[in-house]
Amino acid sequence: MAEVVRVAIRSDADIVMVRQQARVLAKELGFSASDLTLIATALSELARNIVDYAGQGEIILSLINQGGHRGLVIIARDNGPGITDIERAMQDGYSTGKGLGMGLPGTRRLMDEFEISSGMGQGTTVKVTKWAR
Amino acid sequence: MKTPILKQGPYLIASLQDELTDTDLLQLQDTLVEQVGRFRSRGVILDVTMLDVMDSFATRTLRNMVQAVSLRGAEAVIVGIRPEVAFAMVQLGLDLRLSGVQTTLDLEEALVMLDHQGQGWGRHG
């Protein structure tokens, strides 16, 4: 089981599209309706960050299986300006853009695992995982 | 994708469709605020029953719509937030963003609420 879907993110229409792709993939793992919604919401925030801050990037969705424990991994990657102060970006209500500043901290709450790597001029990569129960 | 807006007496009912993009939402915002004036509507119902995701952008845009409609002299109500969507909004920390915004479970309840609020200023008189 190594299903991987790559979606290029360039516009707000791609945000809707990647959500649909993730739903199809996540359904295979038997996620509940409420988990599917949490995943779609997190994905929406990550994809919008790409469009708003980097202009374009990609999202990679993959199914993983770790010792019988199955999950969905979302990697959101861009070559945008990067985040200078990750600690601040992870605080509720902090935003340098037009958002509410809920995107990154909110996404962390919606998912089971959250990793971010970014630096000025290095783009941003966020990796989140939701485990199927 | 265009959002269908139904005119029902003094009210406008917008049924937000699944797969709505940010652009569609902003377009709906402009249309609604304009139509409130054109039809002299007393109330606007934003029916989100079909929405399977309400992320930070959708929440903020809906709040803006409610506030703009209210500045135009009409009442706005958000109807039909799904249980799993409500839960995701709370997790995301968006529930407080809609504080002060009127929400009801379904369309019927929203109509009753708007009728009730309208009585206060003699709409039949």
Side-chain angles (χ1 to χ4, degrees), chain A residues 49-96:
Chain A
N49 277 350
I50 292 178
V51 175
D52 283 355
Y53 293 99
Q56 58 174 315
E58 67 171 348
I59 286 189
I60 303 155
L61 306 165
S62 47
L63 300 183
I64 53 163
N65 189 339
Q66 273 181 13
H69 209 182
R70 303 195 303 164
L72 175 76
V73 178
I74 300 169
I75 296 172
R77 182 186 291 160
D78 67 62
N79 292 313
I83 301 169
T84 38
D85 191 342
I86 291 180
E87 225 166 274
R88 276 189 89 183
M90 291 308 300
Q91 287 169 13
D92 274 337
Y94 177 77
S95 174
T96 58

Side-chain angles (χ1 to χ4, degrees), chain A:
Chain A
M1 192 176 68
E3 210 163 336
V4 176
V5 177
R6 279 170 185 270
V7 183
I9 304 294
R10 294 187 202 88
S11 72
D12 62 347
D14 295 327
I15 302 175
V16 174
M17 215 249 294
V18 74
R19 282 203 307 246
Q20 291 162 346
Q21 302 251 17
R23 245 173 215 281
V24 173
L25 208 56
K27 260 191 187 152
E28 287 182 27
L29 291 191
F31 279 108
S32 66
S34 70
D35 275 348
L36 287 176
T37 302
L38 296 182
I39 292 167
T41 310
L43 197 50
S44 209
E45 298 296 330
L46 293 173
R48 179 166 296 100
N49 277 350
I50 292 178
V51 175
D52 283 355
Y53 293 99
Q56 58 174 315
E58 67 171 348
I59 286 189
I60 303 155
L61 306 165
S62 47
L63 300 183
I64 53 163
N65 189 339
Q66 273 181 13
H69 209 182
R70 303 195 303 164
L72 175 76
V73 178
I74 300 169
I75 296 172
R77 182 186 291 160
D78 67 62
N79 292 313
I83 301 169
T84 38
D85 191 342
I86 291 180
E87 225 166 274
R88 276 189 89 183
M90 291 308 300
Q91 287 169 13
D92 274 337
Y94 177 77
S95 174
T96 58
K98 53 188 172 177
L100 288 171
M102 307 304 285
L104 286 176
T107 301
R108 178 156 66 178
R109 286 193 291 271
L110 295 173
M111 303 296 282
D112 295 326
E113 285 168 30
F114 181 100
E115 288 166 41
I116 182 167
S117 65
S118 185
M120 204 155 77
Q122 294 162 28
T124 302
T125 300
V126 180
K127 181 183 173 193
V128 294
T129 307
K130 191 86 182 168
W131 296 106
R133 270 165 264 236

